[in-house]
Amino acid sequence: MDTVKRPDKRAERSRRTRGKVIEAARELFVAQGYGATSLQEVADRAGVAVQTVYFVFGNKRTLFKDVVDSSVAGDVEPVATMDREWFRAACAAPTAARQLRAHVRGTGEILGRVAPIVPMIAAAGATDPQIAAQWPDGPDPRYTVQHAAAEVLVGKPGARPGVSAAMAADVLFGLLSPQLYLLFVQDRGWSPDAWEEWAYTTLAAQLCN
C-alpha cells in the first residue's frame, strides 16, 4: 500500500523560528548596530526564549552571518545563488541581451535586500574583527557569481565580439555593486526600476551588440 509522506511539523516549526530570529536580528542590527544589540533583545523581538537563540545559532557572530546570508538569498534555505531558479533561468536565456536583462533584474532584487545592510556589515567588522572569519577565505562570492554569469553570456548570440569572460565579469562586478546601487537608490533617490533600466542599458552597451 502506498504511503503518503507527511510534512515534518517539527522541522517546519524550527524553520519558522529560525526565520523569525533572523528577521528580528536584522531589524535590530540595522537600527542600533551589531555591537549594541544583545541576543536577549533579539529573542524578545522574535518572541522566543534567549536559550532558543543560543541553541539554534550558538553565538551572535553566527547569527550575524545568517542575517547576511539570508539577505542575499531572500530566505533561510541553504541554496547558493548559482543554484537559485532565477540565476539558472537567466543563464538559460537564448541570447546575451535576454540573459543580461534577467540577470540585472535578479541581481537588483538581491541588492534591494543587501544594500541597506552594507553599512551594518562594515560597522560590525570594525566592532568584532572575528566577523570576517565567519566566511571562508577565497574569491569574493559576489565576483564568483558574476564570473559564472559572464562565462555563459559571452558565448551567446548577441554578445559583443572580443569581450572576454574575465572582462565581462569585471564589468558586471563593478556596475552591479551594492555601493553603486546605494549611490543611486539611496543617495540620489532613484527608484529600483530606474536603477534596473540604467544598469541594463549601461551593461548592454558594453557587453552586447
Side-chain angles (χ1 to χ4, degrees), residues 28-46:
L28 288 168
F29 289 161
V30 170
Q32 60 191 38
Y34 170 81
T37 300
S38 70
L39 290 184
Q40 182 64 63
E41 289 176 299
V42 172
D44 292 344
R45 174 69 67 92

Side-chain angles (χ1 to χ4, degrees), residues 24-81:
R26 175 188 166 96
E27 292 171 359
L28 288 168
F29 289 161
V30 170
Q32 60 191 38
Y34 170 81
T37 300
S38 70
L39 290 184
Q40 182 64 63
E41 289 176 299
V42 172
D44 292 344
R45 174 69 67 92
V48 301
V50 71
Q51 290 86 353
T52 299
V53 179
Y54 279 107
F55 177 78
V56 174
F57 298 95
N59 56 55
K60 192 163 71 166
R61 292 189 191 104
T62 301
L63 175 56
F64 178 84
K65 182 179 185 300
D66 280 11
V67 167
V68 176
D69 289 348
S70 66
S71 295
V72 174
D75 55 46
V76 297
E77 301 303 321
V79 180
T81 298

Side-chain angles (χ1 to χ4, degrees), residues 45-187:
R45 174 69 67 92
V48 301
V50 71
Q51 290 86 353
T52 299
V53 179
Y54 279 107
F55 177 78
V56 174
F57 298 95
N59 56 55
K60 192 163 71 166
R61 292 189 191 104
T62 301
L63 175 56
F64 178 84
K65 182 179 185 300
D66 280 11
V67 167
V68 176
D69 289 348
S70 66
S71 295
V72 174
D75 55 46
V76 297
E77 301 303 321
V79 180
T81 298
M82 289 184 293
D83 293 326
R84 294 271 167 177
E85 178 58 32
W86 76 266
F87 185 86
R88 289 180 174 274
C91 289
T95 66
R98 288 177 64 179
Q99 178 188 343
L100 184 61
R101 172 66 77 178
H103 184 75
V104 170
R105 181 173 297 116
T107 303
E109 292 176 357
I110 292 175
L111 291 174
R113 297 188 298 267
V114 172
I117 69 172
V118 168
M120 176 198 77
I121 296 171
T127 302
D128 185 349
Q130 294 186 47
I131 283 290
Q134 297 293 307
W135 286 270
D137 292 333
D140 187 319
R142 194 171 66 79
Y143 179 81
T144 300
V145 170
Q146 302 300 353
H147 191 272
E151 284 188 312
V152 178
L153 187 145
V154 297
K156 287 186 175 175
R160 181 174 288 278
V163 176
S164 66
M167 180 179 177
D170 286 347
V171 172
L172 291 171
F173 183 72
L175 266 69
L176 300 180
S177 68
Q179 293 81 4
L180 203 54
Y181 181 92
L182 277 176
L183 176 66
F184 284 111
V185 175
Q186 179 174 288
D187 296 352

Side-chain angles (χ1 to χ4, degrees), residues 3-20:
T3 59
V4 177
K5 186 177 180 180
R6 297 182 178 179
D8 188 333
K9 293 183 178 180
R10 180 177 296 178
E12 177 60 23
R13 283 197 301 271
S14 176
R15 188 191 67 79
R16 286 200 304 267
T17 297
R18 186 181 189 87
K20 285 197 312 182

